[in-house]
Amino acid sequence: AMGALGQWNIDMSRHARETLPPGQYWSSPYYEIWIAGLEKLIAERGLLNGAPEDLKTLRAGNVAAVLARGGPANRPPGRLAHFAPGIAVRTRNLQTPRHTRLPRYLIGCRGVVQRHHGAHVFPDSNAHGEGENPQHLYTVMFKTSEVFGTSARDEICADLFEPYLEAA
């Protein structure tokens, strides 16, 4: 319901939770992390001292319809995709203090594109209020031996944005 205020987006909300102090994050139950993230957003936006008159509201009777509508993140692509199913890729070694949806354990790993999902809102820019910056999204399959250095023959898949990938 607080997201309906229009003061932040889903990526800013995730970023608020993920940037809580580590001790608080790791020692808190799931919903306490969500509340702490919400408190952080409310404080950052100056909403503790009262709401602006033009603030959006979500009335109780409209909650079910808003939730059913969801918030699709697919967007028209601004350019052609660089990769296609079957192409070998490697995840980039991104060293950034900023928000990213690239899991650390996949940095530098080789995989194969399994599926192209079209362009979607890029959380890395959207979390910082820098716009949606649509990027192509792919499902990439990795051998667990590549990711974890084990001899297992299992595979894992991750949905990864194009800026996280390079040709292998």
Side-chain angles (χ1 to χ4, degrees):
M2 291 298 292
L5 296 175
Q7 299 295 299
W8 55 80
N9 60 53
I10 191 170
D11 299 309
M12 291 173 177
S13 178
R14 183 182 299 117
H15 180 64
R17 292 187 303 275
E18 292 176 350
T19 55
L20 291 170
Q24 178 184 8
Y25 185 91
W26 292 111
S27 66
S28 298
Y30 181 79
Y31 287 110
E32 284 183 20
I33 292 169
W34 276 76
I35 292 295
L38 180 59
E39 289 169 346
K40 186 175 178 180
L41 290 166
I42 290 169
E44 288 173 356
R45 304 300 182 290
L47 298 175
L48 291 175
N49 300 323
E53 290 182 24
D54 62 345
L55 197 64
K56 298 176 186 175
T57 59
L58 176 59
R59 300 194 183 280
N62 296 333
V63 171
V66 168
L67 291 177
R69 185 173 62 239
N74 54 320
R75 299 291 186 268
R79 57 182 164 63
L80 295 175
H82 287 327
F83 306 109
I87 299 294
V89 294
R90 179 187 311 273
T91 56
R92 295 178 184 272
N93 187 3
L94 300 178
Q95 300 295 322
T96 177
R98 294 174 47 109
H99 178 83
T100 182
R101 300 309 301 158
L102 174 60
R104 278 182 136 5
Y105 63 87
L106 290 178
I107 290 176
C109 293
R110 291 174 46 102
V112 176
V113 173
Q114 299 296 299
R115 185 171 179 201
H116 174 236
H117 298 281
H120 292 261
V121 173
F122 189 44
D124 297 41
S125 60
N126 205 36
H128 297 282
E130 297 169 353
E132 294 185 344
N133 188 19
Q135 298 291 327
H136 290 277
L137 179 65
Y138 306 89
T139 297
V140 181
M141 185 275 298
F142 300 90
K143 294 188 181 304
T144 54
S145 58
E146 173 72 16
V147 177
F148 301 113
T150 65
S151 60
R153 295 185 197 168
D154 296 329
E155 300 167 342
I156 59 171
C157 290
D159 288 339
L160 301 172
F161 287 93
E162 194 168 89
Y164 304 159
L165 304 172
E166 60 190 8

